[in-house]
Amino acid sequence: MKKILITGGAGFIGSHLSERLLNEGNEVICLDNFFTGSKKNIIHLLDNPYFELVRHDVTMPYFIEVDQIYNLACPASPIHYQYNPIKTIKTSVMGAINMLGLAKRINARILQASTSEVYGDPVVHPQTEDYWGNVNPWGPRSCYDEGKRSAETLFMDYNKQNNVDIKVIRIFNTYGPRMHPNDGRVVSNFIIQALKNQDITIYGDGMQSRSFQYVDDLLEGMIRMMNSQDGFTGPVNIGNPNEFTIKELAQKIIELTGSKSKITYLAPTQDDPSQRQPNISLAKKMLDSWEPKIQLEEGLLKTIEYFKEII
Ligand code: NAD
Ligand code: UDP
């Protein structure tokens, strides 16, 4: 049994991770300021004596003795991270400093939830970890992209300078039950619109692509990375390489829900990456042949069931 701290543990990914690590017999401390996360996501865990919930903001130091830290605290959807951009970059940078300082002090292993957004609007396709990215330093997405890039820098420097035991994963678009219904991400938006027979809103011409990963596949990769061999720091891509255009996604969701929705095309959003697909060779090699198991249709059906229940 390990004692594990999860920052952002009441969010979409953090709540699934909390549940899985508890089920595997660990003690979990979930730290969250409830900006985008919610007690509802973890309410079913509250009567487990090995689960603790702490209301705290990662921009402030926090002290505890644990074996491992998963650093997930940060709003992840464009409308939430753009709501207060200064707070977003503070969360990434000061959160990383505070959690790395803690890991150093208590000798814990720490994993950073970085993102495919570090590649920005990529000119290398599919993206490999050695690609440095194409990121606007002051556009609407920069508070998130540059915050996450700075956090990666901090993780690497704490490792080189202070020998902190770090792991960095770059997560590609992930979906599943407990996504926030109002966070504006494409999978949740399209499913909700389809279930309500409302217009499906495509920003731009719908030819931009994303590669969608079901949350359970991410958890498997994330936990394998946390427990990977000493000295392997990453960064490593964790995503599903099956790439779809946003128009294909809309059509698939209309088909799976049997919806009467029509597609409508709205103005493109500024700095929207035109393509995104992970090369996962490194993850396969270093994480015991890890690869995603749940393909889009199966994952969407599970997610549609969830949204049917909550709306
Ligand atoms: P989410 O918004 O559901 O979860 C983020 C959690 O962090 C929320 O519970 C929120 O309340 C909490 N939080 C935000 N600011 C905080 C602060 N200052 N102090 C403490 N808690 C704070 O998003 P998610 O999709 O679960 O993402 C989790 C992590 O994974 C994020 O770091 C995100 O950048 C990363 N990620 C997610 C995706 C994706 O597709 N979902 C892709 C790449 C990276
Ligand atoms: N998108 C869209 N309609 C929506 C929500 C999103 O066309 O209602 C597009 C968005 O412009 C982007 C893609 O879907 O090209 C993925 O958007 P999301 O916010 O889910 O993730 P990210 O852009 O951060 O990868």
PDB file of all heavy atoms in Angstrom, residues 76-78 81 116-117 141 144 173 179 183-187 189-190 193 200-204 206 208-210 212 246 249 268-269 272-273 276, ligand 2:
ATOM      1  N   ALA A  76      -8.462  22.354 -17.732  1.00  0.00           N
ATOM      2  CA  ALA A  76      -7.948  21.757 -18.975  1.00  0.00           C
ATOM      3  C   ALA A  76      -8.719  22.182 -20.217  1.00  0.00           C
ATOM      4  O   ALA A  76      -8.219  21.999 -21.320  1.00  0.00           O
ATOM      5  CB  ALA A  76      -7.988  20.233 -18.843  1.00  0.00           C
ATOM      6  N   SER A  77      -9.905  22.732 -20.059  1.00  0.00           N
ATOM      7  CA  SER A  77     -10.656  23.066 -21.269  1.00  0.00           C
ATOM      8  C   SER A  77     -10.464  24.549 -21.586  1.00  0.00           C
ATOM      9  O   SER A  77     -10.349  25.375 -20.670  1.00  0.00           O
ATOM     10  CB  SER A  77     -12.141  22.766 -21.078  1.00  0.00           C
ATOM     11  OG  SER A  77     -12.767  23.855 -20.444  1.00  0.00           O
ATOM     12  N   PRO A  78     -10.424  24.898 -22.889  1.00  0.00           N
ATOM     13  CA  PRO A  78     -10.158  26.298 -23.252  1.00  0.00           C
ATOM     14  C   PRO A  78     -11.054  27.304 -22.536  1.00  0.00           C
ATOM     15  O   PRO A  78     -10.551  28.299 -22.017  1.00  0.00           O
ATOM     16  CB  PRO A  78     -10.353  26.306 -24.771  1.00  0.00           C
ATOM     17  CG  PRO A  78      -9.950  24.907 -25.191  1.00  0.00           C
ATOM     18  CD  PRO A  78     -10.430  24.012 -24.080  1.00  0.00           C
ATOM     19  N   TYR A  81      -9.739  27.453 -18.869  1.00  0.00           N
ATOM     20  CA  TYR A  81      -8.395  28.005 -18.627  1.00  0.00           C
ATOM     21  C   TYR A  81      -8.273  29.440 -19.124  1.00  0.00           C
ATOM     22  O   TYR A  81      -7.411  30.181 -18.681  1.00  0.00           O
ATOM     23  CB  TYR A  81      -7.276  27.078 -19.123  1.00  0.00           C
ATOM     24  CG  TYR A  81      -7.056  26.870 -20.609  1.00  0.00           C
ATOM     25  CD1 TYR A  81      -6.655  27.906 -21.444  1.00  0.00           C
ATOM     26  CD2 TYR A  81      -7.161  25.599 -21.167  1.00  0.00           C
ATOM     27  CE1 TYR A  81      -6.420  27.693 -22.797  1.00  0.00           C
ATOM     28  CE2 TYR A  81      -6.929  25.372 -22.523  1.00  0.00           C
ATOM     29  CZ  TYR A  81      -6.562  26.433 -23.336  1.00  0.00           C
ATOM     30  OH  TYR A  81      -6.318  26.219 -24.660  1.00  0.00           O
ATOM     31  N   SER A 116      -0.454  17.511 -24.851  1.00  0.00           N
ATOM     32  CA  SER A 116      -0.116  17.635 -26.271  1.00  0.00           C
ATOM     33  C   SER A 116      -0.089  19.097 -26.699  1.00  0.00           C
ATOM     34  O   SER A 116       0.460  19.428 -27.746  1.00  0.00           O
ATOM     35  CB  SER A 116      -1.150  16.884 -27.114  1.00  0.00           C
ATOM     36  OG  SER A 116      -2.454  17.306 -26.779  1.00  0.00           O
ATOM     37  N   GLU A 117      -0.696  19.977 -25.881  1.00  0.00           N
ATOM     38  CA  GLU A 117      -0.672  21.414 -26.203  1.00  0.00           C
ATOM     39  C   GLU A 117       0.740  21.988 -26.186  1.00  0.00           C
ATOM     40  O   GLU A 117       0.960  23.079 -26.702  1.00  0.00           O
ATOM     41  CB  GLU A 117      -1.539  22.190 -25.206  1.00  0.00           C
ATOM     42  CG  GLU A 117      -3.010  22.086 -25.471  1.00  0.00           C
ATOM     43  CD  GLU A 117      -3.486  22.952 -26.641  1.00  0.00           C
ATOM     44  OE1 GLU A 117      -3.015  24.087 -26.797  1.00  0.00           O
ATOM     45  OE2 GLU A 117      -4.329  22.474 -27.404  1.00  0.00           O
ATOM     46  N   ARG A 141      -4.475  30.794 -26.038  1.00  0.00           N
ATOM     47  CA  ARG A 141      -4.186  29.477 -25.464  1.00  0.00           C
ATOM     48  C   ARG A 141      -2.873  29.468 -24.680  1.00  0.00           C
ATOM     49  O   ARG A 141      -2.515  28.457 -24.066  1.00  0.00           O
ATOM     50  CB  ARG A 141      -4.086  28.419 -26.587  1.00  0.00           C
ATOM     51  CG  ARG A 141      -5.366  28.277 -27.397  1.00  0.00           C
ATOM     52  CD  ARG A 141      -5.196  27.333 -28.572  1.00  0.00           C
ATOM     53  NE  ARG A 141      -5.320  25.944 -28.195  1.00  0.00           N
ATOM     54  CZ  ARG A 141      -6.433  25.206 -28.323  1.00  0.00           C
ATOM     55  NH1 ARG A 141      -7.518  25.730 -28.848  1.00  0.00           N
ATOM     56  NH2 ARG A 141      -6.454  23.951 -27.949  1.00  0.00           N
ATOM     57  N   TYR A 144      -2.229  28.452 -20.925  1.00  0.00           N
ATOM     58  CA  TYR A 144      -2.226  26.998 -20.684  1.00  0.00           C
ATOM     59  C   TYR A 144      -0.967  26.369 -21.286  1.00  0.00           C
ATOM     60  O   TYR A 144      -0.219  25.676 -20.584  1.00  0.00           O
ATOM     61  CB  TYR A 144      -3.491  26.405 -21.301  1.00  0.00           C
ATOM     62  CG  TYR A 144      -3.662  24.914 -21.075  1.00  0.00           C
ATOM     63  CD1 TYR A 144      -4.014  24.410 -19.826  1.00  0.00           C
ATOM     64  CD2 TYR A 144      -3.488  24.010 -22.124  1.00  0.00           C
ATOM     65  CE1 TYR A 144      -4.190  23.048 -19.628  1.00  0.00           C
ATOM     66  CE2 TYR A 144      -3.665  22.648 -21.927  1.00  0.00           C
ATOM     67  CZ  TYR A 144      -4.017  22.168 -20.677  1.00  0.00           C
ATOM     68  OH  TYR A 144      -4.190  20.818 -20.488  1.00  0.00           O
ATOM     69  N   ASN A 173      -5.901  14.546 -26.187  1.00  0.00           N
ATOM     70  CA  ASN A 173      -7.342  14.713 -25.893  1.00  0.00           C
ATOM     71  C   ASN A 173      -7.981  13.459 -25.300  1.00  0.00           C
ATOM     72  O   ASN A 173      -8.019  12.421 -25.954  1.00  0.00           O
ATOM     73  CB  ASN A 173      -8.105  15.096 -27.162  1.00  0.00           C
ATOM     74  CG  ASN A 173      -7.679  16.438 -27.701  1.00  0.00           C
ATOM     75  OD1 ASN A 173      -6.526  16.602 -28.071  1.00  0.00           O
ATOM     76  ND2 ASN A 173      -8.576  17.392 -27.729  1.00  0.00           N
ATOM     77  N   MET A 179     -16.708  14.026 -17.581  1.00  0.00           N
ATOM     78  CA  MET A 179     -16.270  15.292 -18.196  1.00  0.00           C
ATOM     79  C   MET A 179     -17.281  16.332 -17.747  1.00  0.00           C
ATOM     80  O   MET A 179     -18.476  16.044 -17.633  1.00  0.00           O
ATOM     81  CB  MET A 179     -16.361  15.210 -19.720  1.00  0.00           C
ATOM     82  CG  MET A 179     -15.329  14.353 -20.341  1.00  0.00           C
ATOM     83  SD  MET A 179     -15.498  14.404 -22.135  1.00  0.00           S
ATOM     84  CE  MET A 179     -14.405  15.776 -22.495  1.00  0.00           C
ATOM     85  N   ASP A 183     -17.914  22.417 -20.001  1.00  0.00           N
ATOM     86  CA  ASP A 183     -16.543  22.910 -20.196  1.00  0.00           C
ATOM     87  C   ASP A 183     -16.214  23.165 -21.665  1.00  0.00           C
ATOM     88  O   ASP A 183     -15.105  23.560 -21.989  1.00  0.00           O
ATOM     89  CB  ASP A 183     -15.498  22.035 -19.490  1.00  0.00           C
ATOM     90  CG  ASP A 183     -15.217  20.732 -20.195  1.00  0.00           C
ATOM     91  OD1 ASP A 183     -15.793  20.491 -21.270  1.00  0.00           O
ATOM     92  OD2 ASP A 183     -14.411  19.958 -19.663  1.00  0.00           O
ATOM     93  N   GLY A 184     -17.180  22.952 -22.539  1.00  0.00           N
ATOM     94  CA  GLY A 184     -17.009  23.372 -23.930  1.00  0.00           C
ATOM     95  C   GLY A 184     -16.103  22.481 -24.753  1.00  0.00           C
ATOM     96  O   GLY A 184     -15.782  22.819 -25.884  1.00  0.00           O
ATOM     97  N   ARG A 185     -15.661  21.349 -24.198  1.00  0.00           N
ATOM     98  CA  ARG A 185     -14.797  20.491 -25.008  1.00  0.00           C
ATOM     99  C   ARG A 185     -15.635  19.781 -26.061  1.00  0.00           C
ATOM    100  O   ARG A 185     -16.837  19.582 -25.907  1.00  0.00           O
ATOM    101  CB  ARG A 185     -14.029  19.508 -24.128  1.00  0.00           C
ATOM    102  CG  ARG A 185     -12.778  20.200 -23.600  1.00  0.00           C
ATOM    103  CD  ARG A 185     -11.878  19.270 -22.863  1.00  0.00           C
ATOM    104  NE  ARG A 185     -12.238  19.204 -21.472  1.00  0.00           N
ATOM    105  CZ  ARG A 185     -11.485  18.614 -20.545  1.00  0.00           C
ATOM    106  NH1 ARG A 185     -10.336  18.063 -20.882  1.00  0.00           N
ATOM    107  NH2 ARG A 185     -11.867  18.586 -19.284  1.00  0.00           N
ATOM    108  N   VAL A 186     -14.945  19.375 -27.118  1.00  0.00           N
ATOM    109  CA  VAL A 186     -15.692  18.953 -28.296  1.00  0.00           C
ATOM    110  C   VAL A 186     -16.536  17.704 -28.036  1.00  0.00           C
ATOM    111  O   VAL A 186     -17.691  17.629 -28.477  1.00  0.00           O
ATOM    112  CB  VAL A 186     -14.746  18.813 -29.509  1.00  0.00           C
ATOM    113  CG1 VAL A 186     -13.803  17.633 -29.388  1.00  0.00           C
ATOM    114  CG2 VAL A 186     -15.535  18.720 -30.791  1.00  0.00           C
ATOM    115  N   VAL A 187     -16.009  16.723 -27.318  1.00  0.00           N
ATOM    116  CA  VAL A 187     -16.751  15.473 -27.147  1.00  0.00           C
ATOM    117  C   VAL A 187     -18.007  15.726 -26.303  1.00  0.00           C
ATOM    118  O   VAL A 187     -19.119  15.331 -26.679  1.00  0.00           O
ATOM    119  CB  VAL A 187     -15.869  14.374 -26.523  1.00  0.00           C
ATOM    120  CG1 VAL A 187     -16.704  13.147 -26.183  1.00  0.00           C
ATOM    121  CG2 VAL A 187     -14.732  13.987 -27.474  1.00  0.00           C
ATOM    122  N   ASN A 189     -19.516  18.663 -25.705  1.00  0.00           N
ATOM    123  CA  ASN A 189     -20.439  19.547 -26.426  1.00  0.00           C
ATOM    124  C   ASN A 189     -21.272  18.780 -27.443  1.00  0.00           C
ATOM    125  O   ASN A 189     -22.492  18.892 -27.479  1.00  0.00           O
ATOM    126  CB  ASN A 189     -19.645  20.610 -27.202  1.00  0.00           C
ATOM    127  CG  ASN A 189     -19.522  21.903 -26.424  1.00  0.00           C
ATOM    128  OD1 ASN A 189     -19.798  21.942 -25.235  1.00  0.00           O
ATOM    129  ND2 ASN A 189     -19.094  22.956 -27.096  1.00  0.00           N
ATOM    130  N   PHE A 190     -20.601  17.995 -28.287  1.00  0.00           N
ATOM    131  CA  PHE A 190     -21.314  17.316 -29.380  1.00  0.00           C
ATOM    132  C   PHE A 190     -22.302  16.279 -28.828  1.00  0.00           C
ATOM    133  O   PHE A 190     -23.407  16.142 -29.342  1.00  0.00           O
ATOM    134  CB  PHE A 190     -20.322  16.628 -30.335  1.00  0.00           C
ATOM    135  CG  PHE A 190     -19.575  17.568 -31.259  1.00  0.00           C
ATOM    136  CD1 PHE A 190     -19.745  18.947 -31.178  1.00  0.00           C
ATOM    137  CD2 PHE A 190     -18.704  17.062 -32.230  1.00  0.00           C
ATOM    138  CE1 PHE A 190     -19.047  19.816 -32.029  1.00  0.00           C
ATOM    139  CE2 PHE A 190     -18.013  17.911 -33.083  1.00  0.00           C
ATOM    140  CZ  PHE A 190     -18.183  19.294 -32.980  1.00  0.00           C
ATOM    141  N   GLN A 193     -25.280  18.191 -27.370  1.00  0.00           N
ATOM    142  CA  GLN A 193     -26.086  18.766 -28.464  1.00  0.00           C
ATOM    143  C   GLN A 193     -26.879  17.663 -29.178  1.00  0.00           C
ATOM    144  O   GLN A 193     -28.063  17.814 -29.485  1.00  0.00           O
ATOM    145  CB  GLN A 193     -25.166  19.494 -29.458  1.00  0.00           C
ATOM    146  CG  GLN A 193     -24.599  20.792 -28.889  1.00  0.00           C
ATOM    147  CD  GLN A 193     -23.392  21.322 -29.660  1.00  0.00           C
ATOM    148  OE1 GLN A 193     -22.765  20.591 -30.443  1.00  0.00           O
ATOM    149  NE2 GLN A 193     -23.048  22.580 -29.436  1.00  0.00           N
ATOM    150  N   ILE A 200     -25.203  20.817 -34.004  1.00  0.00           N
ATOM    151  CA  ILE A 200     -23.834  20.474 -33.591  1.00  0.00           C
ATOM    152  C   ILE A 200     -22.940  21.603 -34.090  1.00  0.00           C
ATOM    153  O   ILE A 200     -22.897  21.877 -35.293  1.00  0.00           O
ATOM    154  CB  ILE A 200     -23.376  19.148 -34.249  1.00  0.00           C
ATOM    155  CG1 ILE A 200     -24.367  18.026 -33.948  1.00  0.00           C
ATOM    156  CG2 ILE A 200     -21.941  18.814 -33.898  1.00  0.00           C
ATOM    157  CD1 ILE A 200     -24.110  17.215 -32.736  1.00  0.00           C
ATOM    158  N   THR A 201     -22.230  22.255 -33.160  1.00  0.00           N
ATOM    159  CA  THR A 201     -21.467  23.466 -33.502  1.00  0.00           C
ATOM    160  C   THR A 201     -20.017  23.125 -33.836  1.00  0.00           C
ATOM    161  O   THR A 201     -19.217  22.829 -32.956  1.00  0.00           O
ATOM    162  CB  THR A 201     -21.480  24.433 -32.304  1.00  0.00           C
ATOM    163  OG1 THR A 201     -21.008  23.698 -31.134  1.00  0.00           O
ATOM    164  CG2 THR A 201     -22.862  24.974 -32.025  1.00  0.00           C
ATOM    165  N   ILE A 202     -19.696  23.194 -35.127  1.00  0.00           N
ATOM    166  CA  ILE A 202     -18.285  22.997 -35.528  1.00  0.00           C
ATOM    167  C   ILE A 202     -17.643  24.372 -35.687  1.00  0.00           C
ATOM    168  O   ILE A 202     -18.192  25.238 -36.372  1.00  0.00           O
ATOM    169  CB  ILE A 202     -18.193  22.194 -36.841  1.00  0.00           C
ATOM    170  CG1 ILE A 202     -18.590  20.726 -36.583  1.00  0.00           C
ATOM    171  CG2 ILE A 202     -16.794  22.285 -37.440  1.00  0.00           C
ATOM    172  CD1 ILE A 202     -18.408  19.799 -37.782  1.00  0.00           C
ATOM    173  N   TYR A 203     -16.495  24.559 -35.028  1.00  0.00           N
ATOM    174  CA  TYR A 203     -15.755  25.820 -35.174  1.00  0.00           C
ATOM    175  C   TYR A 203     -14.815  25.680 -36.367  1.00  0.00           C
ATOM    176  O   TYR A 203     -13.929  24.817 -36.363  1.00  0.00           O
ATOM    177  CB  TYR A 203     -14.946  26.135 -33.909  1.00  0.00           C
ATOM    178  CG  TYR A 203     -15.773  26.135 -32.631  1.00  0.00           C
ATOM    179  CD1 TYR A 203     -15.203  25.753 -31.416  1.00  0.00           C
ATOM    180  CD2 TYR A 203     -17.112  26.534 -32.637  1.00  0.00           C
ATOM    181  CE1 TYR A 203     -15.950  25.752 -30.245  1.00  0.00           C
ATOM    182  CE2 TYR A 203     -17.861  26.537 -31.467  1.00  0.00           C
ATOM    183  CZ  TYR A 203     -17.283  26.143 -30.279  1.00  0.00           C
ATOM    184  OH  TYR A 203     -18.019  26.131 -29.123  1.00  0.00           O
ATOM    185  N   GLY A 204     -15.011  26.520 -37.382  1.00  0.00           N
ATOM    186  CA  GLY A 204     -14.189  26.406 -38.600  1.00  0.00           C
ATOM    187  C   GLY A 204     -14.824  25.407 -39.556  1.00  0.00           C
ATOM    188  O   GLY A 204     -16.029  25.144 -39.496  1.00  0.00           O
ATOM    189  N   GLY A 206     -14.181  22.198 -39.812  1.00  0.00           N
ATOM    190  CA  GLY A 206     -14.280  20.824 -39.294  1.00  0.00           C
ATOM    191  C   GLY A 206     -13.205  19.895 -39.829  1.00  0.00           C
ATOM    192  O   GLY A 206     -13.229  18.698 -39.558  1.00  0.00           O
ATOM    193  N   GLN A 208     -10.023  20.291 -39.076  1.00  0.00           N
ATOM    194  CA  GLN A 208      -8.961  20.137 -38.073  1.00  0.00           C
ATOM    195  C   GLN A 208      -9.123  18.759 -37.422  1.00  0.00           C
ATOM    196  O   GLN A 208     -10.256  18.259 -37.313  1.00  0.00           O
ATOM    197  CB  GLN A 208      -9.002  21.269 -37.028  1.00  0.00           C
ATOM    198  CG  GLN A 208     -10.169  21.283 -36.060  1.00  0.00           C
ATOM    199  CD  GLN A 208     -11.383  22.049 -36.559  1.00  0.00           C
ATOM    200  OE1 GLN A 208     -11.730  21.974 -37.722  1.00  0.00           O
ATOM    201  NE2 GLN A 208     -12.046  22.772 -35.665  1.00  0.00           N
ATOM    202  N   SER A 209      -7.992  18.175 -37.005  1.00  0.00           N
ATOM    203  CA  SER A 209      -8.079  16.802 -36.478  1.00  0.00           C
ATOM    204  C   SER A 209      -7.654  16.740 -35.014  1.00  0.00           C
ATOM    205  O   SER A 209      -6.906  17.588 -34.526  1.00  0.00           O
ATOM    206  CB  SER A 209      -7.180  15.871 -37.302  1.00  0.00           C
ATOM    207  OG  SER A 209      -5.832  16.157 -37.029  1.00  0.00           O
ATOM    208  N   ARG A 210      -8.151  15.707 -34.340  1.00  0.00           N
ATOM    209  CA  ARG A 210      -7.705  15.360 -32.987  1.00  0.00           C
ATOM    210  C   ARG A 210      -7.686  13.835 -32.897  1.00  0.00           C
ATOM    211  O   ARG A 210      -8.354  13.138 -33.680  1.00  0.00           O
ATOM    212  CB  ARG A 210      -8.666  15.894 -31.915  1.00  0.00           C
ATOM    213  CG  ARG A 210      -8.736  17.410 -31.783  1.00  0.00           C
ATOM    214  CD  ARG A 210      -7.449  18.030 -31.277  1.00  0.00           C
ATOM    215  NE  ARG A 210      -7.593  19.451 -31.012  1.00  0.00           N
ATOM    216  CZ  ARG A 210      -7.435  20.412 -31.919  1.00  0.00           C
ATOM    217  NH1 ARG A 210      -7.138  20.100 -33.166  1.00  0.00           N
ATOM    218  NH2 ARG A 210      -7.556  21.680 -31.572  1.00  0.00           N
ATOM    219  N   PHE A 212      -8.537  10.977 -30.161  1.00  0.00           N
ATOM    220  CA  PHE A 212      -9.258  10.927 -28.878  1.00  0.00           C
ATOM    221  C   PHE A 212      -8.967   9.644 -28.116  1.00  0.00           C
ATOM    222  O   PHE A 212      -9.081   8.548 -28.644  1.00  0.00           O
ATOM    223  CB  PHE A 212     -10.761  11.052 -29.124  1.00  0.00           C
ATOM    224  CG  PHE A 212     -11.139  12.349 -29.769  1.00  0.00           C
ATOM    225  CD1 PHE A 212     -11.383  12.418 -31.131  1.00  0.00           C
ATOM    226  CD2 PHE A 212     -11.210  13.514 -29.020  1.00  0.00           C
ATOM    227  CE1 PHE A 212     -11.713  13.618 -31.738  1.00  0.00           C
ATOM    228  CE2 PHE A 212     -11.537  14.729 -29.618  1.00  0.00           C
ATOM    229  CZ  PHE A 212     -11.793  14.774 -30.988  1.00  0.00           C
ATOM    230  N   ILE A 246     -12.790  16.814 -36.940  1.00  0.00           N
ATOM    231  CA  ILE A 246     -13.889  17.199 -36.051  1.00  0.00           C
ATOM    232  C   ILE A 246     -15.232  16.926 -36.754  1.00  0.00           C
ATOM    233  O   ILE A 246     -16.217  16.546 -36.111  1.00  0.00           O
ATOM    234  CB  ILE A 246     -13.712  18.677 -35.627  1.00  0.00           C
ATOM    235  CG1 ILE A 246     -12.422  18.822 -34.783  1.00  0.00           C
ATOM    236  CG2 ILE A 246     -14.920  19.201 -34.867  1.00  0.00           C
ATOM    237  CD1 ILE A 246     -12.311  17.893 -33.581  1.00  0.00           C
ATOM    238  N   LEU A 249     -15.989  13.331 -36.260  1.00  0.00           N
ATOM    239  CA  LEU A 249     -16.463  13.112 -34.885  1.00  0.00           C
ATOM    240  C   LEU A 249     -17.949  13.478 -34.773  1.00  0.00           C
ATOM    241  O   LEU A 249     -18.741  12.733 -34.186  1.00  0.00           O
ATOM    242  CB  LEU A 249     -15.633  13.943 -33.897  1.00  0.00           C
ATOM    243  CG  LEU A 249     -16.089  13.798 -32.449  1.00  0.00           C
ATOM    244  CD1 LEU A 249     -15.665  12.454 -31.857  1.00  0.00           C
ATOM    245  CD2 LEU A 249     -15.540  14.936 -31.574  1.00  0.00           C
ATOM    246  N   PRO A 268     -13.983  29.944 -36.873  1.00  0.00           N
ATOM    247  CA  PRO A 268     -12.925  29.192 -36.198  1.00  0.00           C
ATOM    248  C   PRO A 268     -12.421  29.953 -34.976  1.00  0.00           C
ATOM    249  O   PRO A 268     -12.528  31.172 -34.916  1.00  0.00           O
ATOM    250  CB  PRO A 268     -11.812  29.094 -37.261  1.00  0.00           C
ATOM    251  CG  PRO A 268     -12.100  30.154 -38.259  1.00  0.00           C
ATOM    252  CD  PRO A 268     -13.572  30.465 -38.192  1.00  0.00           C
ATOM    253  N   THR A 269     -11.886  29.224 -33.992  1.00  0.00           N
ATOM    254  CA  THR A 269     -11.322  29.912 -32.833  1.00  0.00           C
ATOM    255  C   THR A 269      -9.854  30.226 -33.101  1.00  0.00           C
ATOM    256  O   THR A 269      -9.178  29.509 -33.853  1.00  0.00           O
ATOM    257  CB  THR A 269     -11.447  29.059 -31.548  1.00  0.00           C
ATOM    258  OG1 THR A 269     -10.807  27.810 -31.781  1.00  0.00           O
ATOM    259  CG2 THR A 269     -12.890  28.810 -31.175  1.00  0.00           C
ATOM    260  N   ASP A 272      -6.367  27.753 -33.125  1.00  0.00           N
ATOM    261  CA  ASP A 272      -6.840  26.363 -32.974  1.00  0.00           C
ATOM    262  C   ASP A 272      -5.863  25.434 -33.722  1.00  0.00           C
ATOM    263  O   ASP A 272      -5.682  25.590 -34.928  1.00  0.00           O
ATOM    264  CB  ASP A 272      -8.246  26.258 -33.589  1.00  0.00           C
ATOM    265  CG  ASP A 272      -8.989  25.012 -33.157  1.00  0.00           C
ATOM    266  OD1 ASP A 272      -8.409  24.214 -32.389  1.00  0.00           O
ATOM    267  OD2 ASP A 272     -10.142  24.840 -33.586  1.00  0.00           O
ATOM    268  N   PRO A 273      -5.220  24.480 -33.046  1.00  0.00           N
ATOM    269  CA  PRO A 273      -4.303  23.585 -33.755  1.00  0.00           C
ATOM    270  C   PRO A 273      -5.022  22.840 -34.887  1.00  0.00           C
ATOM    271  O   PRO A 273      -6.154  22.381 -34.718  1.00  0.00           O
ATOM    272  CB  PRO A 273      -3.838  22.609 -32.664  1.00  0.00           C
ATOM    273  CG  PRO A 273      -4.028  23.356 -31.388  1.00  0.00           C
ATOM    274  CD  PRO A 273      -5.247  24.205 -31.600  1.00  0.00           C
ATOM    275  N   ARG A 276      -3.505  16.942 -34.820  1.00  0.00           N
ATOM    276  CA  ARG A 276      -2.856  16.425 -33.604  1.00  0.00           C
ATOM    277  C   ARG A 276      -2.980  14.903 -33.573  1.00  0.00           C
ATOM    278  O   ARG A 276      -4.075  14.359 -33.658  1.00  0.00           O
ATOM    279  CB  ARG A 276      -3.531  17.026 -32.387  1.00  0.00           C
ATOM    280  CG  ARG A 276      -2.659  16.940 -31.173  1.00  0.00           C
ATOM    281  CD  ARG A 276      -3.341  17.502 -29.996  1.00  0.00           C
ATOM    282  NE  ARG A 276      -3.252  18.933 -29.877  1.00  0.00           N
ATOM    283  CZ  ARG A 276      -4.144  19.646 -29.203  1.00  0.00           C
ATOM    284  NH1 ARG A 276      -5.186  19.086 -28.651  1.00  0.00           N
ATOM    285  NH2 ARG A 276      -3.996  20.942 -29.086  1.00  0.00           N
TER     286      ARG A 276
HETATM  287  N1  UDP B   2     -14.670  22.276 -31.323  1.00  0.00           N
HETATM  288  C1  UDP B   2     -15.770  22.446 -32.156  1.00  0.00           C
HETATM  289  N2  UDP B   2     -16.992  22.627 -31.576  1.00  0.00           N
HETATM  290  C2  UDP B   2     -17.183  22.636 -30.231  1.00  0.00           C
HETATM  291  C3  UDP B   2     -16.063  22.455 -29.386  1.00  0.00           C
HETATM  292  C4  UDP B   2     -14.812  22.294 -29.969  1.00  0.00           C
HETATM  293  O1  UDP B   2     -15.657  22.432 -33.386  1.00  0.00           O
HETATM  294  O2  UDP B   2     -18.339  22.792 -29.790  1.00  0.00           O
HETATM  295  C5  UDP B   2     -13.361  22.038 -31.942  1.00  0.00           C
HETATM  296  C6  UDP B   2     -12.269  22.990 -31.491  1.00  0.00           C
HETATM  297  O3  UDP B   2     -12.269  24.155 -32.284  1.00  0.00           O
HETATM  298  C7  UDP B   2     -11.031  22.143 -31.711  1.00  0.00           C
HETATM  299  C8  UDP B   2     -11.502  20.718 -31.416  1.00  0.00           C
HETATM  300  O4  UDP B   2     -12.919  20.756 -31.547  1.00  0.00           O
HETATM  301  O5  UDP B   2     -10.628  22.214 -33.057  1.00  0.00           O
HETATM  302  C9  UDP B   2     -11.118  20.201 -30.035  1.00  0.00           C
HETATM  303  O6  UDP B   2     -11.528  21.154 -29.090  1.00  0.00           O
HETATM  304  P1  UDP B   2     -11.387  20.897 -27.515  1.00  0.00           P
HETATM  305  O7  UDP B   2     -11.687  22.215 -26.851  1.00  0.00           O
HETATM  306  O8  UDP B   2     -12.187  19.724 -27.121  1.00  0.00           O
HETATM  307  O9  UDP B   2      -9.866  20.495 -27.313  1.00  0.00           O
HETATM  308  P2  UDP B   2      -8.465  21.175 -27.725  1.00  0.00           P
HETATM  309  O10 UDP B   2      -8.712  22.246 -28.748  1.00  0.00           O
HETATM  310  O11 UDP B   2      -7.912  21.724 -26.468  1.00  0.00           O
HETATM  311  O12 UDP B   2      -7.699  20.056 -28.298  1.00  0.00           O
END
